[in-house]
Amino acid sequence: MSSTITLEKIVALCKRRGFVFSSAEIYSGINGVYDFGPLGAQMKRLLKTAWLKHMQSFSEDVLEMDGALLGPAATWKASGHLDNFSDPMIDCTSCKKRFRADDGSVDPQKPCPSCGNKAWTDVRRFNLMFETNLGALVDADAKAYLRPETAQSIFINFKNILSSCRVKVPFGIAQIGKAFRNEITPRQFVFRVREFEQMEMEFFCKPEQSDEYFTIWLDRQKSFYLSLGFAPESFRFRPHDADELAHYSKNCTDVEFHFPMGWKELEGIAHRGAFDLTQHSQHSGKDLSVFEQENNRSYMPHVVECSVGVDRLFLAVLCNAYYEDIVEGEARVLLKLPMSLAPIQVAVLSLVKKLNDATHPVVALLKAAGLRVQFDDSGSIGKRYRRYDEIGTPYCVTVDFNTLEDKCVTIRNRDTLEQTRVPLTEIVRVLTA
Ligand code: GAP
């Protein structure tokens, strides 16, 4: 990461190049909600695919599911979210600004940082779940909530999956999907938002194996981040102190990333014990325990959870990849994205528009080889190189007049700036090496 990286630079790049936009921008936006443009959507898709592949490469089974976004009040009562999923908030009665009371943004002993008056309400708890009603009737039975985490749909389907999918404990269930939290103060771009995607994997095991699996998943997640190209010094593991643990958790370690605004949580790896299955058994009246024939015993599986936000991971990947340098006396911004995460892997450029007919077959060749390719014929070659550096494209392939004679193209490497003349028959091999 360059020493001058700031969140503002990342935000500006994301907007300029079509990664991320404020949602409903033409109507002045909606706070804490973002839309992902073509490059951002592609990069998120690549991250999700990499995560699921990583999960499913584990020696034990990890099955995928896709649960509903709406859940009845009963689910959230059992999970503890109705009673516990709240943040403390405080309002300035003078300027009406609202703050979280536990994140250091205000000190009730001091004046409001917004208007300078000292006129605070009491601190109140604010539940972060979005509430809605199903159907036309507005009564207690019609109440539903947008899920604040994907995990609960895994727990309430545990028995369905166990009995229908020929799996045995230990095994995992992974899910990628939207979650919603009415954050009091969404901020820091896509780091803390109100609508986001989570990638969660709940690993079910015998109680006596749970500490061992907790350690195994800590190790596996470390290798996941290294496989995404994270510099080893850019992330660290921080075990929670006892007073920080969530209501469901016996033990938890955060994977923290060094964002421009400091060390912050990227992923939570939690030992959830038998909390969730026990709660749902008690509240639903359905027995979610497992019978073990060999030992003639029933037990409630314990759970190790890996939970990371796609949007937050997306931001971490951009921060890890962001560099600035000087090339031929000109400032350059580049994203050193690995080939596997680059939304566009190869830009194919015709030196001048006259060469477009010779360039299109090169585009077709690379697309047929499964590469993510963009054709570009506008602007000077230098400007085009800068554009693709900025969106993290590892290679530019240029078709020039000599190509018509020697059937070779120039491949330019984003990071080394090296330019190599390569025969058309060799370019797929060179680009995928
Ligand atoms: N099931 C456990 C759980 O949801 P969490 O620590 O509240 O735990 C897990 O959330 C991860 O989800 C976080 O580490 C973060 O990556 C992501 N996340 C949580 N709240 C978020 C928000 N408001 N905006 C973006 N990502 C969020």
Side-chain angles (χ1 to χ4, degrees):
M1 197 189 303
S2 99
S3 55
T4 51
I5 181 172
T6 61
L7 197 58
E8 288 68 33
K9 287 181 182 179
I10 300 274
V11 175
L13 187 151
C14 281
K15 180 160 186 201
R16 192 165 66 241
R17 296 302 185 191
F19 282 92
V20 184
F21 308 112
S22 285
S23 194
E25 201 179 50
I26 60 168
Y27 295 106
S28 310
I30 165 171
N31 203 4
V33 184
Y34 288 89
D35 293 332
F36 285 75
L39 297 180
Q42 176 69 273
M43 210 176 108
K44 281 216 298 181
R45 163 91 37 228
L46 295 166
L47 283 171
K48 290 186 270 189
T49 306
W51 181 85
L52 191 62
K53 195 169 162 207
H54 163 76
M55 285 296 157
Q56 296 193 318
S57 69
F58 189 44
S59 51
E60 305 294 350
D61 286 328
V62 174
L63 311 180
E64 190 188 5
M65 70 161 284
D66 183 13
L69 304 187
L70 285 168
T75 299
W76 309 113
K77 181 73 188 161
S79 68
H81 285 83
L82 268 180
D83 296 328
N84 298 312
F85 197 59
S86 58
D87 281 337
M89 66 177 180
I90 188 165
D91 293 352
C92 169
T93 55
S94 172
C95 71
K96 312 287 181 226
K97 273 242 161 101
R98 175 160 289 171
F99 300 89
R100 248 177 92 160
D102 64 345
D103 66 355
S105 49
V106 288
D107 177 351
Q109 304 311 318
K110 294 190 178 152
C112 168
S114 178
C115 69
N117 293 319
K118 197 173 151 200
W120 297 112
T121 61
D122 290 338
V123 174
R124 288 153 298 151
R125 303 292 313 180
F126 173 73
N127 193 295
L128 302 186
M129 285 197 295
F130 284 100
E131 186 181 307
T132 187
N133 292 290
L134 300 178
L137 285 179
V138 181
D139 61 21
D141 290 343
K143 228 177 228 184
Y145 296 84
L146 284 173
R147 62 183 184 186
E149 62 172 15
T150 64
Q152 295 307 321
S153 43
I154 297 181
F155 298 128
I156 59 180
N157 278 292
F158 167 71
K159 261 295 168 69
N160 282 339
I161 291 176
L162 185 69
S163 60
S164 62
C165 296
R166 303 185 61 77
V167 275
K168 273 191 179 162
V169 174
F171 74 99
I173 304 176
Q175 182 172 201
I176 301 173
K178 288 268 181 174
F180 303 83
R181 297 184 187 180
N182 200 359
E183 299 284 354
I184 297 169
T185 45
R187 59 191 175 146
Q188 291 159 340
F189 193 36
V190 293
F191 179 83
R192 186 175 305 287
V193 280
R194 290 182 165 137
E195 175 179 341
F196 56 103
E197 276 183 289
Q198 279 187 319
M199 303 193 280
E200 299 200 291
M201 193 282 306
E202 311 297 325
F203 194 80
F204 300 90
C205 61
K206 293 180 190 176
E208 59 274 20
Q209 293 177 322
S210 56
D211 288 336
E212 190 188 340
Y213 276 118
F214 184 69
T215 312
I216 289 175
W217 281 105
L218 288 178
D219 281 354
R220 283 186 61 76
Q221 293 315 91
K222 181 173 180 189
S223 52
F224 174 60
Y225 291 110
L226 291 173
S227 78
L228 295 183
F230 278 27
E233 66 280 6
S234 69
F235 68 105
R236 67 185 186 191
F237 286 71
R238 189 184 66 80
H240 277 206
D241 293 333
D243 61 356
E244 281 181 88
L245 291 172
H247 62 273
Y248 49 75
S249 152
K250 276 179 71 179
N251 195 355
C252 184
T253 291
D254 282 348
V255 181
E256 293 187 334
F257 179 79
H258 196 240
F259 288 96
M261 57 279 188
W263 286 101
K264 300 268 177 199
E265 174 187 337
L266 173 61
E267 165 166 3
I269 302 171
H271 186 321
R272 296 181 76 123
F275 176 83
D276 304 273
L277 292 183
T278 306
Q279 286 292 106
H280 287 301
S281 284
Q282 283 168 0
H283 284 251
S284 67
K286 308 280 182 329
D287 179 14
L288 300 182
S289 67
V290 167
F291 182 68
E292 188 180 42
Q293 213 135 24
E294 307 88 270
N295 297 315
N296 196 29
R297 67 159 182 170
S298 280
Y299 67 92
M300 205 54 97
H302 278 209
V303 171
V304 175
E305 173 186 76
C306 300
S307 172
V308 58
V310 181
D311 315 69
R312 206 174 274 189
L313 178 58
F314 169 90
L315 181 60
V317 168
L318 288 184
C319 294
N320 184 60
Y322 186 95
Y323 282 82
E324 291 171 350
D325 62 10
I326 306 280
V327 174
E328 290 163 8
E330 255 188 57
R332 172 174 87 134
V333 170
L334 70 158
L335 292 180
K336 287 193 185 178
L337 292 174
M339 191 75 169
S340 60
L341 296 181
I344 295 168
Q345 294 171 308
V346 187
V348 182
L349 318 175
S350 58
L351 188 65
V352 292
K353 286 193 171 39
K354 247 194 233 170
L355 289 165
N356 284 1
D357 284 349
T359 308
H360 289 307
V362 181
V363 174
L365 175 76
L366 296 177
K367 280 192 176 177
L371 289 161
R372 294 184 290 279
V373 179
Q374 189 162 77
F375 164 73
D376 195 334
D377 67 354
S378 58
S380 74
I381 276 287
K383 281 217 171 95
R384 279 184 267 171
Y385 283 160
R386 292 291 181 278
R387 174 179 138 72
Y388 288 101
D389 290 342
E390 229 184 49
I391 62 170
T393 301
Y395 298 107
C396 287
V397 167
T398 304
V399 173
D400 57 25
F401 286 104
N402 290 335
T403 307
L404 304 178
E405 306 299 323
D406 65 3
K407 307 287 179 243
C408 289
V409 288
T410 303
I411 297 182
R412 173 201 182 256
N413 182 304
R414 174 198 66 200
D415 301 338
T416 62
L417 299 173
E418 201 185 347
Q419 301 202 13
T420 334
R421 202 79 189 147
V422 178
L424 283 170
T425 50
E426 287 294 302
I427 54 172
V428 171
R429 188 186 58 75
V430 171
L431 292 170
T432 53

